[in-house]
PDB file of all heavy atoms in Angstrom:
ATOM      1  N   SER A 135       3.827  -4.096  30.416  1.00 95.00           N
ATOM      2  CA  SER A 135       3.462  -5.188  31.318  1.00 95.00           C
ATOM      3  C   SER A 135       3.164  -6.427  30.480  1.00 95.00           C
ATOM      4  O   SER A 135       3.107  -6.363  29.255  1.00 95.00           O
ATOM      5  CB  SER A 135       2.225  -4.806  32.141  1.00 95.00           C
ATOM      6  OG  SER A 135       1.049  -4.904  31.360  1.00 95.00           O
ATOM      7  N   ASP A 136       2.968  -7.547  31.167  1.00 96.00           N
ATOM      8  CA  ASP A 136       2.687  -8.790  30.426  1.00 96.00           C
ATOM      9  C   ASP A 136       1.259  -8.826  29.898  1.00 96.00           C
ATOM     10  O   ASP A 136       0.858  -9.796  29.254  1.00 96.00           O
ATOM     11  CB  ASP A 136       2.985 -10.016  31.289  1.00 96.00           C
ATOM     12  CG  ASP A 136       2.188 -10.037  32.586  1.00 96.00           C
ATOM     13  OD1 ASP A 136       1.285  -9.173  32.749  1.00 96.00           O
ATOM     14  OD2 ASP A 136       2.454 -10.894  33.432  1.00 96.00           O
ATOM     15  N   ARG A 137       0.489  -7.782  30.140  1.00 98.00           N
ATOM     16  CA  ARG A 137      -0.841  -7.704  29.529  1.00 98.00           C
ATOM     17  C   ARG A 137      -0.749  -7.309  28.056  1.00 98.00           C
ATOM     18  O   ARG A 137      -1.713  -7.457  27.310  1.00 98.00           O
ATOM     19  CB  ARG A 137      -1.707  -6.680  30.269  1.00 98.00           C
ATOM     20  CG  ARG A 137      -2.015  -7.053  31.713  1.00 98.00           C
ATOM     21  CD  ARG A 137      -3.020  -6.062  32.336  1.00 98.00           C
ATOM     22  NE  ARG A 137      -2.483  -4.706  32.435  1.00 98.00           N
ATOM     23  CZ  ARG A 137      -2.835  -3.706  31.637  1.00 98.00           C
ATOM     24  NH1 ARG A 137      -3.730  -3.883  30.674  1.00 98.00           N
ATOM     25  NH2 ARG A 137      -2.318  -2.498  31.818  1.00 98.00           N
ATOM     26  N   PHE A 138       0.409  -6.800  27.673  1.00 98.00           N
ATOM     27  CA  PHE A 138       0.622  -6.348  26.303  1.00 98.00           C
ATOM     28  C   PHE A 138       1.382  -7.421  25.526  1.00 98.00           C
ATOM     29  O   PHE A 138       2.381  -7.955  26.013  1.00 98.00           O
ATOM     30  CB  PHE A 138       1.448  -5.054  26.273  1.00 98.00           C
ATOM     31  CG  PHE A 138       0.715  -3.830  26.741  1.00 98.00           C
ATOM     32  CD1 PHE A 138       0.405  -3.651  28.080  1.00 98.00           C
ATOM     33  CD2 PHE A 138       0.337  -2.852  25.840  1.00 98.00           C
ATOM     34  CE1 PHE A 138      -0.271  -2.514  28.513  1.00 98.00           C
ATOM     35  CE2 PHE A 138      -0.329  -1.721  26.254  1.00 98.00           C
ATOM     36  CZ  PHE A 138      -0.636  -1.548  27.591  1.00 98.00           C
ATOM     37  N   SER A 139       0.925  -7.681  24.306  1.00 97.00           N
ATOM     38  CA  SER A 139       1.644  -8.583  23.416  1.00 97.00           C
ATOM     39  C   SER A 139       1.396  -8.150  21.990  1.00 97.00           C
ATOM     40  O   SER A 139       0.447  -7.405  21.706  1.00 97.00           O
ATOM     41  CB  SER A 139       1.191 -10.030  23.631  1.00 97.00           C
ATOM     42  OG  SER A 139      -0.180 -10.171  23.291  1.00 97.00           O
ATOM     43  N   ALA A 140       2.246  -8.600  21.095  1.00 97.00           N
ATOM     44  CA  ALA A 140       2.074  -8.270  19.679  1.00 97.00           C
ATOM     45  C   ALA A 140       2.604  -9.404  18.850  1.00 97.00           C
ATOM     46  O   ALA A 140       3.511 -10.136  19.273  1.00 97.00           O
ATOM     47  CB  ALA A 140       2.789  -6.969  19.333  1.00 97.00           C
ATOM     48  N   GLU A 141       2.036  -9.552  17.693  1.00 95.00           N
ATOM     49  CA  GLU A 141       2.539 -10.520  16.738  1.00 95.00           C
ATOM     50  C   GLU A 141       2.510  -9.907  15.342  1.00 95.00           C
ATOM     51  O   GLU A 141       1.780  -8.947  15.081  1.00 95.00           O
ATOM     52  CB  GLU A 141       1.726 -11.807  16.782  1.00 95.00           C
ATOM     53  CG  GLU A 141       0.268 -11.661  16.376  1.00 95.00           C
ATOM     54  CD  GLU A 141      -0.438 -13.015  16.363  1.00 95.00           C
ATOM     55  OE1 GLU A 141       0.073 -13.977  16.958  1.00 95.00           O
ATOM     56  OE2 GLU A 141      -1.496 -13.091  15.740  1.00 95.00           O
ATOM     57  N   ARG A 142       3.319 -10.494  14.498  1.00 93.00           N
ATOM     58  CA  ARG A 142       3.363 -10.053  13.115  1.00 93.00           C
ATOM     59  C   ARG A 142       3.302 -11.302  12.249  1.00 93.00           C
ATOM     60  O   ARG A 142       4.175 -12.165  12.332  1.00 93.00           O
ATOM     61  CB  ARG A 142       4.648  -9.278  12.824  1.00 93.00           C
ATOM     62  CG  ARG A 142       4.642  -8.629  11.459  1.00 93.00           C
ATOM     63  CD  ARG A 142       5.894  -7.834  11.202  1.00 93.00           C
ATOM     64  NE  ARG A 142       5.777  -7.119   9.940  1.00 93.00           N
ATOM     65  CZ  ARG A 142       6.791  -6.530   9.325  1.00 93.00           C
ATOM     66  NH1 ARG A 142       7.997  -6.559   9.874  1.00 93.00           N
ATOM     67  NH2 ARG A 142       6.600  -5.896   8.196  1.00 93.00           N
ATOM     68  N   THR A 143       2.262 -11.382  11.452  1.00 86.00           N
ATOM     69  CA  THR A 143       2.042 -12.582  10.654  1.00 86.00           C
ATOM     70  C   THR A 143       2.568 -12.379   9.243  1.00 86.00           C
ATOM     71  O   THR A 143       2.306 -11.352   8.603  1.00 86.00           O
ATOM     72  CB  THR A 143       0.539 -12.915  10.600  1.00 86.00           C
ATOM     73  OG1 THR A 143      -0.170 -11.767  10.134  1.00 86.00           O
ATOM     74  CG2 THR A 143       0.040 -13.282  11.989  1.00 86.00           C
ATOM     75  N   GLY A 144       3.326 -13.376   8.779  1.00 81.00           N
ATOM     76  CA  GLY A 144       3.809 -13.363   7.406  1.00 81.00           C
ATOM     77  C   GLY A 144       4.671 -12.173   7.073  1.00 81.00           C
ATOM     78  O   GLY A 144       4.789 -11.797   5.897  1.00 81.00           O
ATOM     79  N   GLY A 145       5.286 -11.574   8.065  1.00 77.00           N
ATOM     80  CA  GLY A 145       6.144 -10.434   7.812  1.00 77.00           C
ATOM     81  C   GLY A 145       5.402  -9.200   7.368  1.00 77.00           C
ATOM     82  O   GLY A 145       6.011  -8.250   6.862  1.00 77.00           O
ATOM     83  N   SER A 146       4.081  -9.173   7.589  1.00 88.00           N
ATOM     84  CA  SER A 146       3.307  -8.036   7.119  1.00 88.00           C
ATOM     85  C   SER A 146       2.450  -7.471   8.243  1.00 88.00           C
ATOM     86  O   SER A 146       2.946  -6.768   9.112  1.00 88.00           O
ATOM     87  CB  SER A 146       2.465  -8.445   5.922  1.00 88.00           C
ATOM     88  OG  SER A 146       1.702  -7.359   5.451  1.00 88.00           O
ATOM     89  N   VAL A 147       1.188  -7.833   8.285  1.00 93.00           N
ATOM     90  CA  VAL A 147       0.228  -7.289   9.239  1.00 93.00           C
ATOM     91  C   VAL A 147       0.648  -7.610  10.673  1.00 93.00           C
ATOM     92  O   VAL A 147       1.155  -8.698  10.961  1.00 93.00           O
ATOM     93  CB  VAL A 147      -1.168  -7.861   8.956  1.00 93.00           C
ATOM     94  CG1 VAL A 147      -2.155  -7.464  10.045  1.00 93.00           C
ATOM     95  CG2 VAL A 147      -1.656  -7.407   7.589  1.00 93.00           C
ATOM     96  N   SER A 148       0.431  -6.627  11.540  1.00 96.00           N
ATOM     97  CA  SER A 148       0.735  -6.823  12.959  1.00 96.00           C
ATOM     98  C   SER A 148      -0.495  -6.524  13.798  1.00 96.00           C
ATOM     99  O   SER A 148      -1.298  -5.646  13.456  1.00 96.00           O
ATOM    100  CB  SER A 148       1.884  -5.921  13.394  1.00 96.00           C
ATOM    101  OG  SER A 148       2.143  -6.062  14.786  1.00 96.00           O
TER     102      SER A 148
END
Side-chain angles (χ1 to χ4, degrees):
Chain A
S135 77
D136 58 8
R137 295 187 296 105
F138 288 72
S139 64
E141 64 176 17
R142 188 178 186 193
T143 54
S146 180
V147 172
S148 177

